Amino acid sequence: MSAYYQLAKKIIQSNFFRLSLPYRLSFILTYKCNYKCKICNIWARGPGEAEMTLPEIEEFFLKNNYISWLNLGGGEIFLREDINEVADIIYTKLDNLVLLDFATTGFFTDRVLSFVERLGRYKPKKLFITVSLDGPKETHEWLRGIPGSWDKAIETFRGLRSMASASFKPYLGYTLSKYNFDKFFDTVKAVKKAVPDIGLDEFHINLAQVSELYYQNEACLDASWAFKEKDRISALLGSFLGQKRKAGNITLFLESVYQSRLKQFLNTAKTPLHCRALSASCFIDPAWNVYPCVSYNKVIANLKELGFDLRPVWQLAACRQLQKEILKSSCPNCWTPCEAYQTILGNLARIFTNSLESVGFL
Ligand code: SF4
Ligand code: SF4
Protein backbone atom coordinates (compact mmCIF):
# COMPACT_ATOMS: atom_id res chain seq x y z
CA MET A 1 0.00 0.00 0.00
CA SER A 2 1.56 3.35 -0.99
CA ALA A 3 2.32 5.98 1.64
CA TYR A 4 -0.14 8.37 -0.04
CA TYR A 5 -2.90 5.78 0.06
CA GLN A 6 -2.22 5.05 3.72
CA LEU A 7 -2.37 8.74 4.60
CA ALA A 8 -5.59 9.23 2.64
CA LYS A 9 -7.09 6.25 4.44
CA LYS A 10 -6.11 7.59 7.85
CA ILE A 11 -7.51 11.03 7.03
CA ILE A 12 -10.84 9.54 5.96
CA GLN A 13 -10.95 7.32 9.05
CA SER A 14 -10.20 10.33 11.27
CA ASN A 15 -13.54 11.78 10.13
CA PHE A 16 -15.36 8.91 11.81
CA PHE A 17 -13.35 7.62 14.75
CA ARG A 18 -10.24 7.95 16.87
CA LEU A 19 -7.30 6.41 15.02
CA SER A 20 -5.46 3.45 16.52
CA LEU A 21 -2.25 5.48 16.06
CA PRO A 22 -1.64 9.15 15.24
CA TYR A 23 -0.69 9.98 11.65
CA ARG A 24 0.69 13.43 12.46
CA LEU A 25 3.24 14.50 15.06
CA SER A 26 4.40 17.90 16.22
CA PHE A 27 7.94 16.97 17.13
CA ILE A 28 9.87 19.68 18.94
CA LEU A 29 13.58 19.17 18.42
CA THR A 30 14.83 22.03 20.57
CA TYR A 31 13.76 25.06 22.57
CA LYS A 32 16.98 26.87 21.71
CA CYS A 33 16.49 30.03 19.72
CA ASN A 34 18.81 32.85 18.72
CA TYR A 35 15.91 35.32 18.28
CA LYS A 36 14.21 37.31 21.01
CA CYS A 37 10.67 37.70 19.76
CA LYS A 38 8.23 40.01 21.51
CA ILE A 39 5.41 37.47 21.34
CA CYS A 40 7.24 34.30 22.34
CA ASN A 41 9.41 33.30 25.27
CA ILE A 42 10.94 30.11 23.90
CA TRP A 43 14.24 31.95 23.51
CA ALA A 44 14.38 32.47 27.29
CA ARG A 45 13.70 28.83 28.20
CA GLY A 46 15.91 27.09 25.60
CA PRO A 47 19.36 27.14 27.22
CA GLY A 48 18.35 25.37 30.45
CA GLU A 49 16.03 22.74 29.00
CA ALA A 50 16.59 19.05 28.32
CA GLU A 51 16.95 18.17 24.65
CA MET A 52 16.41 14.87 22.86
CA THR A 53 19.60 13.20 21.64
CA LEU A 54 20.29 11.64 18.26
CA PRO A 55 20.27 8.00 19.52
CA GLU A 56 16.96 8.71 21.28
CA ILE A 57 15.48 10.15 18.10
CA GLU A 58 16.65 7.10 16.17
CA GLU A 59 15.08 4.73 18.67
CA PHE A 60 11.84 6.69 18.62
CA PHE A 61 11.43 6.63 14.84
CA LEU A 62 12.48 3.00 14.67
CA LYS A 63 9.62 2.14 17.04
CA ASN A 64 7.10 4.59 15.57
CA ASN A 65 7.60 4.29 11.84
CA TYR A 66 3.89 4.63 11.00
CA ILE A 67 3.92 8.44 11.02
CA SER A 68 2.73 9.99 7.74
CA TRP A 69 3.07 13.67 8.53
CA LEU A 70 5.87 15.09 10.63
CA ASN A 71 6.04 18.68 11.75
CA LEU A 72 9.46 19.60 13.17
CA GLY A 73 9.46 22.44 15.66
CA GLY A 74 11.73 24.66 17.69
CA GLY A 75 13.11 27.09 18.80
CA GLU A 76 15.18 27.32 15.69
CA ILE A 77 15.82 23.80 14.48
CA PHE A 78 18.96 24.88 12.61
CA LEU A 79 20.66 25.57 15.93
CA ARG A 80 20.97 21.81 16.29
CA GLU A 81 24.42 20.85 15.05
CA ASP A 82 23.07 17.41 14.16
CA ILE A 83 20.05 18.58 12.14
CA ASN A 84 21.32 16.79 9.00
CA GLU A 85 21.65 13.53 10.91
CA VAL A 86 18.12 14.02 12.28
CA ALA A 87 16.90 14.26 8.68
CA ASP A 88 18.84 11.11 7.75
CA ILE A 89 17.10 9.24 10.57
CA ILE A 90 13.68 10.54 9.57
CA TYR A 91 14.01 9.52 5.96
CA THR A 92 15.62 6.15 6.61
CA LYS A 93 13.20 5.09 9.37
CA LEU A 94 9.84 6.56 8.38
CA ASP A 95 8.81 4.42 5.41
CA ASN A 96 5.32 5.92 5.39
CA LEU A 97 6.27 9.56 5.58
CA VAL A 98 4.39 11.72 3.06
CA LEU A 99 4.82 15.22 4.42
CA LEU A 100 7.61 16.91 6.35
CA ASP A 101 7.13 20.54 7.32
CA PHE A 102 8.79 23.05 9.58
CA ALA A 103 9.27 26.76 10.15
CA THR A 104 12.55 28.64 10.38
CA THR A 105 13.62 32.20 11.00
CA GLY A 106 15.81 31.91 7.91
CA PHE A 107 18.75 33.32 9.84
CA PHE A 108 21.11 30.46 8.92
CA THR A 109 20.72 30.69 5.16
CA ASP A 110 23.56 28.31 4.24
CA ARG A 111 22.45 25.67 6.73
CA VAL A 112 18.86 25.80 5.52
CA LEU A 113 19.76 25.58 1.84
CA SER A 114 22.30 22.79 2.26
CA PHE A 115 19.75 20.92 4.42
CA VAL A 116 17.18 21.04 1.63
CA GLU A 117 19.81 20.02 -0.89
CA ARG A 118 20.71 17.04 1.31
CA LEU A 119 17.05 16.05 1.64
CA GLY A 120 16.98 15.80 -2.15
CA ARG A 121 18.79 12.45 -1.93
CA TYR A 122 15.71 11.00 -0.19
CA LYS A 123 13.29 12.42 -2.74
CA PRO A 124 10.77 13.74 -0.14
CA LYS A 125 7.20 13.23 -1.28
CA LYS A 126 6.11 16.58 0.13
CA LEU A 127 8.29 19.14 1.87
CA PHE A 128 6.94 22.51 3.06
CA ILE A 129 9.17 25.09 4.72
CA THR A 130 7.88 28.33 6.17
CA VAL A 131 10.25 31.25 6.63
CA SER A 132 8.81 33.55 9.29
CA LEU A 133 8.34 37.18 8.30
CA ASP A 134 6.28 39.40 10.56
CA GLY A 135 6.26 42.79 8.90
CA PRO A 136 8.13 45.23 6.73
CA LYS A 137 11.82 45.37 7.69
CA GLU A 138 11.54 47.75 10.64
CA THR A 139 8.53 46.02 12.20
CA HIS A 140 9.91 42.53 11.64
CA GLU A 141 13.29 43.34 13.19
CA TRP A 142 11.72 45.10 16.16
CA LEU A 143 9.35 42.18 16.74
CA ARG A 144 12.06 39.56 16.30
CA GLY A 145 14.68 41.47 18.26
CA ILE A 146 17.47 40.85 15.72
CA PRO A 147 18.91 43.53 13.40
CA GLY A 148 19.47 42.13 9.92
CA SER A 149 16.85 39.41 10.39
CA TRP A 150 14.58 40.70 7.60
CA ASP A 151 17.34 40.50 4.97
CA LYS A 152 18.29 37.04 6.22
CA ALA A 153 14.70 35.82 5.97
CA ILE A 154 14.38 37.17 2.43
CA GLU A 155 17.74 35.72 1.36
CA THR A 156 16.77 32.29 2.68
CA PHE A 157 13.32 32.45 1.11
CA ARG A 158 14.79 33.42 -2.27
CA GLY A 159 17.28 30.57 -2.05
CA LEU A 160 14.54 28.09 -1.16
CA ARG A 161 12.30 29.44 -3.88
CA SER A 162 14.99 28.73 -6.46
CA MET A 163 14.90 25.09 -5.31
CA ALA A 164 11.09 24.75 -5.38
CA SER A 165 9.60 21.81 -7.24
CA ALA A 166 6.38 19.81 -7.47
CA SER A 167 7.26 18.21 -4.12
CA PHE A 168 8.88 21.16 -2.36
CA LYS A 169 7.32 24.53 -1.61
CA PRO A 170 8.66 27.35 0.57
CA TYR A 171 6.31 29.94 2.11
CA LEU A 172 6.57 33.17 4.03
CA GLY A 173 4.74 32.85 7.34
CA TYR A 174 3.10 35.97 8.78
CA THR A 175 2.01 35.69 12.41
CA LEU A 176 -0.67 38.23 13.24
CA SER A 177 -0.24 39.90 16.61
CA LYS A 178 -1.32 43.20 18.08
CA TYR A 179 1.99 44.62 16.83
CA ASN A 180 1.61 43.89 13.13
CA PHE A 181 -1.94 42.91 12.16
CA ASP A 182 -2.36 46.19 10.25
CA LYS A 183 0.91 45.80 8.31
CA PHE A 184 0.33 42.69 6.26
CA PHE A 185 -0.16 44.35 2.88
CA ASP A 186 2.76 46.74 3.55
CA THR A 187 4.82 43.61 4.10
CA VAL A 188 3.68 42.12 0.80
CA LYS A 189 4.68 45.38 -0.91
CA ALA A 190 8.11 45.35 0.75
CA VAL A 191 8.71 41.71 -0.19
CA LYS A 192 7.69 42.41 -3.80
CA LYS A 193 10.64 44.79 -4.09
CA ALA A 194 12.99 41.91 -3.28
CA VAL A 195 10.98 39.13 -4.96
CA PRO A 196 9.01 40.87 -7.73
CA ASP A 197 7.10 37.82 -8.98
CA ILE A 198 5.93 36.63 -5.56
CA GLY A 199 2.20 35.87 -5.29
CA LEU A 200 -0.14 35.97 -2.31
CA ASP A 201 -0.31 32.16 -2.49
CA GLU A 202 3.24 32.15 -1.15
CA PHE A 203 2.20 33.83 2.11
CA HIS A 204 0.71 32.00 5.08
CA ILE A 205 -1.16 34.01 7.69
CA ASN A 206 -1.70 32.69 11.16
CA LEU A 207 -2.76 34.12 14.47
CA ALA A 208 -0.36 34.46 17.42
CA GLN A 209 -1.56 32.12 20.17
CA VAL A 210 -0.92 32.05 23.86
CA SER A 211 0.58 28.77 25.05
CA GLU A 212 1.67 28.17 28.60
CA LEU A 213 3.17 24.86 27.54
CA TYR A 214 5.10 25.89 24.44
CA TYR A 215 5.68 29.61 23.88
CA GLN A 216 5.34 30.43 27.60
CA ASN A 217 4.08 33.79 26.39
CA GLU A 218 1.13 34.49 28.73
CA ALA A 219 2.94 37.56 30.07
CA CYS A 220 4.02 39.03 26.71
CA LEU A 221 0.98 38.29 24.52
CA ASP A 222 -2.35 39.57 25.75
CA ALA A 223 -4.71 36.70 24.82
CA SER A 224 -7.64 39.07 24.38
CA TRP A 225 -6.10 41.35 21.75
CA ALA A 226 -7.35 39.33 18.76
CA PHE A 227 -10.92 39.25 20.07
CA LYS A 228 -10.86 43.02 20.60
CA GLU A 229 -9.59 43.49 17.03
CA LYS A 230 -11.75 40.80 15.45
CA ASP A 231 -13.42 43.14 12.93
CA ARG A 232 -10.15 44.51 11.58
CA ILE A 233 -8.59 41.02 11.49
CA SER A 234 -11.65 39.67 9.69
CA ALA A 235 -11.43 42.51 7.16
CA LEU A 236 -7.77 41.72 6.55
CA LEU A 237 -8.51 38.01 6.10
CA GLY A 238 -11.42 38.81 3.79
CA SER A 239 -9.17 40.92 1.63
CA PHE A 240 -6.38 38.33 1.67
CA LEU A 241 -8.71 35.46 0.80
CA GLY A 242 -10.43 37.55 -1.85
CA GLN A 243 -7.15 38.14 -3.67
CA LYS A 244 -5.62 34.69 -3.56
CA ARG A 245 -6.55 31.36 -5.06
CA LYS A 246 -8.76 29.28 -2.77
CA ALA A 247 -8.37 25.93 -4.44
CA GLY A 248 -6.01 24.13 -6.75
CA ASN A 249 -4.08 22.09 -4.26
CA ILE A 250 -4.49 20.71 -0.75
CA THR A 251 -2.43 23.49 0.87
CA LEU A 252 -4.63 26.20 -0.61
CA PHE A 253 -7.72 24.33 0.53
CA LEU A 254 -6.42 23.94 4.10
CA GLU A 255 -5.33 27.57 4.28
CA SER A 256 -8.58 28.81 2.91
CA VAL A 257 -10.63 26.79 5.42
CA TYR A 258 -8.27 27.77 8.25
CA GLN A 259 -8.64 31.47 7.51
CA SER A 260 -12.36 31.46 6.96
CA ARG A 261 -12.87 29.54 10.24
CA LEU A 262 -10.53 31.95 12.00
CA LYS A 263 -13.28 34.56 11.75
CA GLN A 264 -15.63 32.13 13.50
CA PHE A 265 -13.01 31.53 16.21
CA LEU A 266 -12.64 35.28 16.79
CA ASN A 267 -16.41 35.62 17.18
CA THR A 268 -16.89 32.71 19.55
CA ALA A 269 -13.48 32.03 21.20
CA LYS A 270 -14.28 28.37 20.53
CA THR A 271 -12.40 26.01 18.27
CA PRO A 272 -14.60 26.09 15.15
CA LEU A 273 -14.43 22.35 14.33
CA HIS A 274 -14.18 19.21 16.47
CA CYS A 275 -10.50 19.07 17.36
CA ARG A 276 -8.57 15.97 16.31
CA ALA A 277 -5.79 16.27 18.94
CA LEU A 278 -5.17 12.81 20.46
CA SER A 279 -7.43 11.42 17.79
CA ALA A 280 -5.11 11.90 14.80
CA SER A 281 -2.15 13.81 16.26
CA CYS A 282 -0.12 14.71 19.31
CA PHE A 283 2.75 16.91 20.44
CA ILE A 284 6.13 15.73 21.75
CA ASP A 285 8.46 18.17 23.49
CA PRO A 286 12.30 18.08 23.52
CA ALA A 287 12.28 16.21 26.86
CA TRP A 288 9.98 13.51 25.36
CA ASN A 289 6.83 14.56 27.17
CA VAL A 290 3.67 13.79 25.22
CA TYR A 291 0.89 16.39 25.15
CA PRO A 292 -2.34 16.61 23.15
CA CYS A 293 -1.18 19.66 21.22
CA VAL A 294 0.84 22.85 21.24
CA SER A 295 -1.67 24.68 23.45
CA TYR A 296 -2.90 22.24 26.08
CA ASN A 297 -0.55 21.96 29.06
CA LYS A 298 -1.51 18.44 30.05
CA VAL A 299 1.31 15.86 30.09
CA ILE A 300 0.13 12.38 29.20
CA ALA A 301 3.39 10.47 29.63
CA ASN A 302 7.14 10.68 29.15
CA LEU A 303 8.39 8.57 26.25
CA LYS A 304 11.93 8.33 27.57
CA GLU A 305 10.61 6.64 30.71
CA LEU A 306 8.53 4.27 28.58
CA GLY A 307 11.13 3.12 26.05
CA PHE A 308 10.17 5.60 23.27
CA ASP A 309 7.16 3.61 22.10
CA LEU A 310 4.16 5.85 21.50
CA ARG A 311 1.70 2.97 20.94
CA PRO A 312 1.05 2.11 24.64
CA VAL A 313 0.85 5.82 25.48
CA TRP A 314 -1.83 6.30 22.82
CA GLN A 315 -3.88 3.51 24.40
CA LEU A 316 -3.61 4.77 28.01
CA ALA A 317 -6.97 5.27 29.66
CA ALA A 318 -5.94 8.83 30.57
CA CYS A 319 -5.09 9.58 26.94
CA ARG A 320 -8.39 8.20 25.66
CA GLN A 321 -10.32 10.10 28.30
CA LEU A 322 -8.53 13.36 27.45
CA GLN A 323 -9.33 12.86 23.77
CA LYS A 324 -13.03 12.52 24.59
CA GLU A 325 -12.92 15.73 26.59
CA ILE A 326 -11.12 17.56 23.77
CA LEU A 327 -13.77 16.41 21.31
CA LYS A 328 -16.30 18.16 23.55
CA SER A 329 -14.14 21.34 23.58
CA SER A 330 -13.16 20.85 27.18
CA CYS A 331 -9.68 22.26 26.59
CA PRO A 332 -8.11 25.75 26.18
CA ASN A 333 -9.72 26.04 22.69
CA CYS A 334 -7.38 27.41 20.05
CA TRP A 335 -7.17 27.83 16.30
CA THR A 336 -3.57 27.59 15.19
CA PRO A 337 -2.34 26.05 11.93
CA CYS A 338 -0.01 23.84 14.03
CA GLU A 339 -3.12 21.94 15.06
CA ALA A 340 -5.92 23.11 12.79
CA TYR A 341 -4.96 21.31 9.58
CA GLN A 342 -5.52 17.77 10.87
CA THR A 343 -8.73 19.02 12.48
CA ILE A 344 -9.90 20.40 9.12
CA LEU A 345 -9.03 17.10 7.44
CA GLY A 346 -10.93 15.25 10.17
CA ASN A 347 -14.09 17.32 9.58
CA LEU A 348 -14.47 17.14 5.80
CA ALA A 349 -18.11 16.09 5.87
CA ARG A 350 -19.02 18.99 8.18
CA ILE A 351 -17.10 21.51 6.03
CA PHE A 352 -18.78 20.23 2.90
CA THR A 353 -22.22 20.41 4.53
CA ASN A 354 -21.56 23.95 5.79
CA SER A 355 -20.48 25.01 2.28
CA LEU A 356 -23.69 23.66 0.79
CA GLU A 357 -25.70 25.45 3.48
CA SER A 358 -23.91 28.74 2.82
CA VAL A 359 -24.88 28.68 -0.86
CA GLY A 360 -28.46 27.69 -0.07
CA PHE A 361 -28.34 24.04 -1.17
CA LEU A 362 -29.37 22.77 2.27
S1 SF4 B 1 8.78 32.87 17.75
FE1 SF4 B 1 10.27 31.44 16.89
S2 SF4 B 1 12.01 32.73 16.43
FE2 SF4 B 1 10.79 33.84 17.91
S3 SF4 B 1 11.63 33.33 19.93
FE3 SF4 B 1 9.91 31.96 19.50
S4 SF4 B 1 10.88 30.16 18.59
FE4 SF4 B 1 12.36 31.83 18.46
S1 SF4 C 1 -8.69 22.91 20.42
FE1 SF4 C 1 -6.60 23.68 20.56
S2 SF4 C 1 -6.15 23.63 22.75
FE2 SF4 C 1 -7.89 22.30 22.44
S3 SF4 C 1 -6.96 20.29 22.18
FE3 SF4 C 1 -7.33 21.16 20.15
S4 SF4 C 1 -5.40 22.06 19.57
FE4 SF4 C 1 -5.37 21.75 21.80
Side-chain angles (χ1 to χ4, degrees):
M1 209 190 302
S2 85
Y4 280 111
Y5 177 79
Q6 288 209 33
L7 174 57
K9 190 173 153 199
K10 290 177 208 169
I11 288 172
I12 292 166
Q13 288 175 336
S14 75
N15 279 260
F16 302 103
F17 48 81
R18 180 179 194 255
L19 300 180
S20 57
L21 288 167
Y23 71 79
R24 183 188 187 274
L25 284 188
S26 291
F27 193 71
I28 311 303
L29 288 171
T30 182
Y31 279 141
K32 292 198 181 81
C33 189
N34 56 325
Y35 278 31
K36 291 190 166 47
C37 296
K38 296 273 183 296
I39 58 166
C40 168
N41 260 336
I42 284 181
W43 61 271
R45 64 184 298 184
E49 301 243 351
E51 194 168 272
M52 48 181 64
T53 65
L54 211 52
E56 290 170 353
I57 293 171
E58 182 157 23
E59 190 173 349
F60 174 75
F61 284 122
L62 203 57
K63 291 183 174 166
N64 301 280
N65 63 353
Y66 46 83
I67 298 301
S68 301
W69 177 354
L70 184 66
N71 164 254
L72 296 178
E76 170 55 61
I77 65 168
F78 289 97
L79 280 172
R80 278 193 73 123
E81 298 286 333
D82 56 5
I83 188 66
N84 288 335
E85 287 74 22
V86 172
D88 291 342
I89 291 173
I90 290 169
Y91 277 102
T92 49
K93 302 290 177 264
L94 293 186
D95 308 327
N96 295 311
L97 188 67
V98 172
L99 170 58
L100 178 73
D101 71 313
F102 60 85
T104 173
T105 60
F107 185 80
F108 299 106
T109 306
D110 293 345
R111 284 186 219 176
V112 180
L113 300 187
S114 65
F115 179 79
V116 174
E117 208 174 293
R118 185 185 178 101
L119 289 189
R121 70 173 73 161
Y122 297 112
K123 301 194 174 15
K125 292 184 177 59
K126 288 286 170 201
L127 173 64
F128 296 148
I129 302 179
T130 302
V131 180
S132 303
L133 196 81
D134 288 349
K137 185 175 168 69
E138 200 180 328
T139 308
H140 175 81
E141 296 192 352
W142 177 79
L143 261 167
R144 296 268 161 181
I146 300 289
S149 56
W150 201 86
D151 295 325
K152 280 284 177 193
I154 294 293
E155 187 188 349
T156 301
F157 177 69
R158 284 165 75 156
L160 290 174
R161 212 167 171 257
S162 70
M163 300 164 94
S165 65
S167 57
F168 167 51
K169 292 264 177 286
Y171 295 93
L172 285 173
Y174 195 87
T175 302
L176 296 176
S177 68
K178 64 179 174 182
Y179 303 113
N180 70 350
F181 70 91
D182 53 350
K183 294 190 172 68
F184 175 71
F185 285 107
D186 291 342
T187 309
V188 175
K189 235 186 253 172
V191 174
K192 268 185 182 289
K193 286 187 188 152
V195 189
D197 60 336
I198 193 166
L200 278 184
D201 292 355
E202 294 173 80
F203 286 85
H204 280 178
I205 292 185
N206 69 80
L207 184 67
Q209 307 271 336
V210 174
S211 169
E212 178 193 16
L213 139 72
Y214 183 49
Y215 306 114
Q216 295 196 338
N217 57 353
E218 314 92 286
C220 58
L221 184 72
D222 168 15
S224 64
W225 76 272
F227 302 105
K228 287 180 201 149
E229 296 291 356
K230 63 181 180 188
D231 293 340
R232 290 169 75 190
I233 294 174
S234 293
L236 162 67
L237 293 175
S239 176
F240 179 56
L241 284 175
Q243 292 179 54
K244 69 181 281 196
R245 287 189 296 151
K246 289 175 202 54
N249 61 46
I250 184 72
T251 320
L252 285 170
F253 166 74
L254 288 172
E255 276 236 305
S256 158
V257 176
Y258 169 75
Q259 280 150 12
S260 53
R261 298 275 169 168
L262 183 51
K263 293 183 204 166
Q264 191 180 334
F265 174 69
L266 291 173
N267 280 324
T268 61
K270 292 270 176 212
T271 303
L273 294 165
H274 293 307
C275 179
R276 290 303 189 257
L278 294 186
S279 175
S281 63
C282 65
F283 175 98
I284 298 174
D285 82 359
W288 293 107
N289 295 308
V290 182
Y291 296 85
C293 65
V294 67
S295 306
Y296 196 1
N297 194 4
K298 199 105 170 169
V299 185
I300 297 157
N302 183 278
L303 283 166
K304 194 169 176 174
E305 290 166 6
L306 297 173
F308 301 104
D309 191 352
L310 188 55
R311 294 166 210 251
V313 175
W314 194 253
Q315 297 306 336
L316 286 172
C319 186
R320 302 173 80 93
Q321 179 57 30
L322 200 53
Q323 184 266 331
K324 283 184 191 151
E325 290 167 19
I326 287 168
L327 210 53
K328 289 187 222 147
S329 293
S330 183
C331 70
N333 280 266
C334 73
W335 193 238
T336 162
C338 307
E339 303 293 344
Y341 289 175
Q342 61 271 31
T343 288
I344 292 168
L345 291 168
N347 284 274
L348 294 174
R350 178 180 291 257
I351 291 166
F352 185 60
T353 308
N354 289 166
S355 304
L356 291 180
E357 280 168 356
S358 70
V359 292
F361 269 110
L362 294 177

